Tab-separated table of all heavy atoms in Angstrom:
chain	number	residue	atom	x	y	z
A	1119	ARG	N	171.961	38.981	106.960
A	1119	ARG	CA	172.669	39.974	107.778
A	1119	ARG	C	174.022	39.428	108.226
A	1119	ARG	O	175.011	40.167	108.297
A	1119	ARG	CB	171.827	40.375	108.999
A	1119	ARG	CG	170.588	41.174	108.656
A	1119	ARG	CD	169.781	41.484	109.916
A	1119	ARG	NE	170.404	42.517	110.714
A	1119	ARG	CZ	170.196	43.818	110.558
A	1119	ARG	NH1	169.366	44.245	109.614
A	1119	ARG	NH2	170.796	44.695	111.325
A	1120	MET	N	174.080	38.130	108.518
A	1120	MET	CA	175.356	37.498	108.893
A	1120	MET	C	176.252	37.356	107.664
A	1120	MET	O	177.435	37.695	107.687
A	1120	MET	CB	175.114	36.111	109.494
A	1120	MET	CG	174.197	36.057	110.679
A	1120	MET	SD	173.974	34.311	111.173
A	1120	MET	CE	172.523	34.458	112.233
A	1123	VAL	N	178.419	40.194	105.743
A	1123	VAL	CA	179.775	40.551	106.189
A	1123	VAL	C	180.794	40.004	105.191
A	1123	VAL	O	181.769	40.677	104.832
A	1123	VAL	CB	180.043	39.990	107.598
A	1123	VAL	CG1	181.481	40.254	108.017
A	1123	VAL	CG2	179.069	40.603	108.603
A	1139	HIS	N	181.583	35.985	109.466
A	1139	HIS	CA	181.268	36.394	110.832
A	1139	HIS	C	181.112	35.161	111.724
A	1139	HIS	O	180.582	34.131	111.275
A	1139	HIS	CB	179.965	37.216	110.846
A	1139	HIS	CG	179.786	38.014	112.090
A	1139	HIS	ND1	179.300	37.463	113.264
A	1139	HIS	CD2	180.039	39.330	112.366
A	1139	HIS	CE1	179.251	38.399	114.199
A	1139	HIS	NE2	179.703	39.539	113.680
A	1140	PRO	N	181.556	35.217	112.987
A	1140	PRO	CA	181.399	34.062	113.890
A	1140	PRO	C	179.966	33.564	114.000
A	1140	PRO	O	179.735	32.359	114.153
A	1140	PRO	CB	181.912	34.600	115.234
A	1140	PRO	CG	182.906	35.656	114.859
A	1140	PRO	CD	182.359	36.296	113.615
A	1141	PHE	N	178.980	34.476	113.918
A	1141	PHE	CA	177.583	34.038	113.956
A	1141	PHE	C	177.293	33.055	112.822
A	1141	PHE	O	176.634	32.028	113.021
A	1141	PHE	CB	176.632	35.240	113.834
A	1141	PHE	CG	176.598	36.144	115.029
A	1141	PHE	CD1	175.980	37.392	114.958
A	1141	PHE	CD2	177.174	35.770	116.231
A	1141	PHE	CE1	175.946	38.237	116.050
A	1141	PHE	CE2	177.139	36.606	117.336
A	1141	PHE	CZ	176.523	37.843	117.240
A	1258	ILE	N	186.512	45.949	113.544
A	1258	ILE	CA	185.437	46.290	114.476
A	1258	ILE	C	184.160	46.611	113.707
A	1258	ILE	O	183.065	46.120	114.048
A	1258	ILE	CB	185.827	47.478	115.385
A	1258	ILE	CG1	187.065	47.118	116.224
A	1258	ILE	CG2	184.657	47.860	116.290
A	1258	ILE	CD1	186.862	45.924	117.146
A	1259	TRP	N	184.281	47.398	112.653
A	1259	TRP	CA	183.098	47.731	111.841
A	1259	TRP	C	182.478	46.465	111.270
A	1259	TRP	O	181.262	46.300	111.275
A	1259	TRP	CB	183.485	48.684	110.723
A	1259	TRP	CG	182.313	49.090	109.872
A	1259	TRP	CD1	181.492	50.149	110.057
A	1259	TRP	CD2	181.827	48.409	108.702
A	1259	TRP	NE1	180.508	50.179	109.081
A	1259	TRP	CE2	180.682	49.122	108.238
A	1259	TRP	CE3	182.235	47.271	108.004
A	1259	TRP	CZ2	179.976	48.723	107.103
A	1259	TRP	CZ3	181.513	46.869	106.885
A	1259	TRP	CH2	180.393	47.598	106.448
A	1260	SER	N	183.316	45.557	110.768
A	1260	SER	CA	182.822	44.326	110.153
A	1260	SER	C	182.146	43.412	111.163
A	1260	SER	O	181.125	42.777	110.864
A	1260	SER	CB	183.977	43.588	109.477
A	1260	SER	OG	184.588	44.374	108.466
A	1261	MET	N	182.673	43.363	112.381
A	1261	MET	CA	182.056	42.536	113.419
A	1261	MET	C	180.701	43.101	113.842
A	1261	MET	O	179.780	42.342	114.176
A	1261	MET	CB	182.984	42.443	114.632
A	1261	MET	CG	184.178	41.520	114.425
A	1261	MET	SD	183.725	39.774	114.334
A	1261	MET	CE	183.448	39.423	116.063
A	1262	LYS	N	180.573	44.412	113.788
A	1262	LYS	CA	179.302	45.054	114.186
A	1262	LYS	C	178.291	45.096	113.043
A	1262	LYS	O	177.127	45.396	113.277
A	1262	LYS	CB	179.597	46.481	114.676
A	1262	LYS	CG	180.390	46.538	115.986
A	1262	LYS	CD	180.946	47.920	116.235
A	1262	LYS	CE	179.861	48.981	116.336
A	1262	LYS	NZ	180.442	50.309	116.638
A	1263	GLN	N	178.722	44.796	111.836
A	1263	GLN	CA	177.867	44.965	110.656
A	1263	GLN	C	176.515	44.254	110.758
A	1263	GLN	O	175.492	44.851	110.398
A	1263	GLN	CB	178.627	44.476	109.405
A	1263	GLN	CG	177.898	44.748	108.101
A	1263	GLN	CD	178.657	44.244	106.892
A	1263	GLN	OE1	179.858	43.934	106.990
A	1263	GLN	NE2	178.000	44.150	105.759
A	1264	PRO	N	176.431	42.992	111.243
A	1264	PRO	CA	175.101	42.347	111.314
A	1264	PRO	C	174.127	43.041	112.251
A	1264	PRO	O	172.911	42.859	112.127
A	1264	PRO	CB	175.426	40.932	111.828
A	1264	PRO	CG	176.859	40.729	111.515
A	1264	PRO	CD	177.496	42.079	111.657
A	1265	MET	N	174.633	43.825	113.199
A	1265	MET	CA	173.779	44.482	114.173
A	1265	MET	C	173.369	45.880	113.764
A	1265	MET	O	172.592	46.542	114.471
A	1265	MET	CB	174.474	44.551	115.543
A	1265	MET	CG	174.466	43.234	116.309
A	1265	MET	SD	175.629	42.002	115.681
A	1265	MET	CE	177.191	42.607	116.323
A	1266	THR	N	173.896	46.367	112.636
A	1266	THR	CA	173.580	47.732	112.226
A	1266	THR	C	172.416	47.750	111.248
A	1266	THR	O	172.065	46.748	110.638
A	1266	THR	CB	174.811	48.381	111.568
A	1266	THR	OG1	175.238	47.600	110.451
A	1266	THR	CG2	175.955	48.466	112.575
Side-chain angles (χ1 to χ4, degrees):
R1119 291 178 75 88
M1120 304 177 196
V1123 175
H1139 198 279
F1141 290 168
I1258 299 299
W1259 181 90
S1260 300
M1261 285 290 283
K1262 293 166 60 178
Q1263 187 181 345
M1265 283 75 77
T1266 58

